[in-house]
Amino acid sequence: MKPAAFEYHDPPTTAEACELLAQLGDEAKPLAGGQSLVPLMNMRLATPRHLIDLRNVAGLSDITISDTSVTMGSMTTQRQIELSPAIRKACPILTEATTHIAHFQIRQRGTIGGSIAHADPAAELPLITVLLDARIVARRADGTRSIPARGFFYSAFVTELDETEIVESIELPRLADGEGWAFEEFARRQGDFALVGVAATVTLTDGKYSGARLAVSGVASAPVLLPVAEHLVGERPSPALYRRVAAAVTAGLTPGGDIHATGEDRRDIAGHLTEVALAAATERALQLTDRPAGRR
Ligand SMILES: Cc1cc2nc3c(=O)[nH]c(=O)nc-3n(C[C@H](O)[C@H](O)[C@H](O)COP(=O)(O)OP(=O)(O)OC[C@H]3O[C@@H](n4cnc5c(N)ncnc54)[C@H](O)[C@@H]3O)c2cc1C
């Protein structure tokens, strides 16, 4: 299968990439790792007349870690994220989630910016950005804006991004000292898109929950945050609590069915993975509270 004819552009700077997008409008698409866009073009499901390759744009693959955040240029590959010791230390849930994306050959080319802009409802990186409420910096010819991830994903493959904007960088807050985390997903085969994914963080103070976040993918057209904190805060951890909270927060989900799973199956899997993720995140938080600050 071959794509329809297109004109290829290779700008060296974000300013020039944005200028091209402004001139060409919806006839153009940015090209990042090509792991989603190229198959769509080969199947003629996407037929852009112009491709604006971001590969040689300077400064889009930098990873910067500060005391409070992890910032990655949009062309940072999934493999770079997976292999970065600094990211593993500052935001281990991001490392863990990234290892579940496809196979390493795909992660070698696929980028964080491409995954965020593509917005597949089953994808791991959008889920993590929603869980942690990342900031997505979008740039166009006349300026930049910072968009909260929780307001970025509208529905399957539809985002807040304007067609003249490129994702320039993604900034995730670091996990706090003592914050336990877990990432769980269910896929039919290793490397497949997950049917359902769950990401969670919890904090404990004096043996009781003082904070919790949990987000789920694969149960709606965009990642969903579930209100676990209101059930957990003030409670002491126990398997019975995980079961009760998982049942309560997933009861209202109404996922659609497809050839891979019915909607009911997806809701059941989300419930089970929520229970598992709460237990695993709590276990980590309990271990971390016994360790010196700064080590996770
Ligand atoms: C066999 C296979 C299995 C896969 N399994 C998984 C999986 O399990 N989980 C998962 O999350 N993904 C999976 N993927 C998708 C993979 O993660 C892609 O890399 C990712 O979805 C897109 O990233 P990319 O860099 O390849 O973007 P591209 O394919 O180059 O672009 C994707 C879309 O984003 C736009 N875009 C790209 N970069 C930018 C930018 N900086 N600003 C604005 N728009 C931009 C493009 O115009 C295009 O519309 C799989 C892919 C394949 C081929």
Side-chain angles (χ1 to χ4, degrees):
M1 286 186 288
K2 287 193 167 38
F6 59 85
E7 203 172 316
Y8 176 79
H9 305 263
D10 187 23
T13 63
T14 35
E16 284 166 83
C18 291
E19 201 50 56
L20 280 165
L21 275 179
Q23 282 165 20
L24 300 167
D26 63 4
E27 298 216 315
K29 270 198 167 294
L31 173 68
Q35 297 304 292
S36 296
L37 182 55
V38 171
L40 288 172
M41 289 174 63
N42 286 344
M43 288 184 281
R44 308 278 173 122
L45 294 171
T47 52
R49 304 259 315 266
H50 298 266
L51 276 192
I52 300 172
D53 195 346
L54 302 179
R55 194 175 33 172
N56 293 319
V57 171
L60 283 187
S61 306
D62 299 341
I63 298 174
T64 313
I65 315 271
S66 77
D67 288 348
T68 54
S69 64
V70 175
T71 305
M72 291 154 289
S74 66
M75 288 297 285
T76 306
T77 65
Q78 295 152 1
R79 190 75 173 149
Q80 266 178 283
I81 295 172
E82 178 185 355
L83 295 179
S84 162
I87 290 181
R88 182 178 290 276
K89 185 158 184 277
C91 197
I93 193 170
L94 173 62
T95 309
E96 177 68 19
T98 305
T99 62
H100 285 79
I101 300 172
H103 301 282
F104 88 88
Q105 292 90 340
I106 289 162
R107 298 197 293 274
Q108 196 82 34
R109 284 184 173 271
T111 65
I112 185 166
S115 180
I116 300 295
H118 189 59
D120 190 304
E124 287 80 359
L125 297 178
L127 176 64
I128 295 299
T129 62
V130 167
L131 176 82
L132 301 180
D133 205 13
R135 306 293 304 193
I136 294 161
V137 176
R139 177 160 174 182
R140 60 177 161 213
D142 58 0
T144 59
R145 62 183 176 133
S146 169
I147 307 164
R150 291 182 186 172
F152 186 81
F153 301 100
Y154 288 161
S155 63
F157 313 113
V158 182
T159 70
E160 164 69 17
L161 210 60
D162 187 76
E163 66 200 10
T164 61
E165 286 176 313
I166 62 166
V167 174
E168 190 166 42
S169 63
I170 293 95
E171 182 185 334
L172 286 162
R174 291 177 76 126
L175 296 191
D177 284 332
E179 192 168 15
W181 58 272
F183 181 86
E184 304 287 337
E185 72 172 39
F186 179 78
R188 287 164 65 95
R189 292 176 308 188
Q190 201 218 336
D192 279 5
F193 270 101
L195 291 182
V196 178
V198 173
T201 65
V202 301
T203 43
L204 291 158
T205 307
D206 299 331
K208 292 182 180 173
Y209 289 102
S210 48
R213 302 178 281 191
L214 189 136
V216 189
S217 63
V219 293
S221 59
V224 181
L225 268 177
L226 296 181
V228 287
E230 62 191 58
H231 296 273
L232 290 175
V233 170
E235 300 286 338
R236 289 192 184 279
S238 75
L241 179 67
Y242 310 144
R243 254 196 315 280
R244 205 166 62 241
V245 173
V249 296
T250 57
L253 295 174
T254 53
D258 58 20
I259 54 166
H260 303 297
T262 65
E264 203 171 46
D265 287 342
R266 283 180 194 267
R267 190 176 53 238
D268 288 351
I269 297 167
H272 174 68
L273 294 183
T274 295
E275 196 178 322
V276 173
L278 289 176
T282 304
E283 184 58 33
R284 276 202 178 92
L286 288 169
Q287 286 170 7
L288 289 168
T289 16
D290 294 337
R291 282 194 208 159
R295 300 198 50 200
R296 183 161 292 123

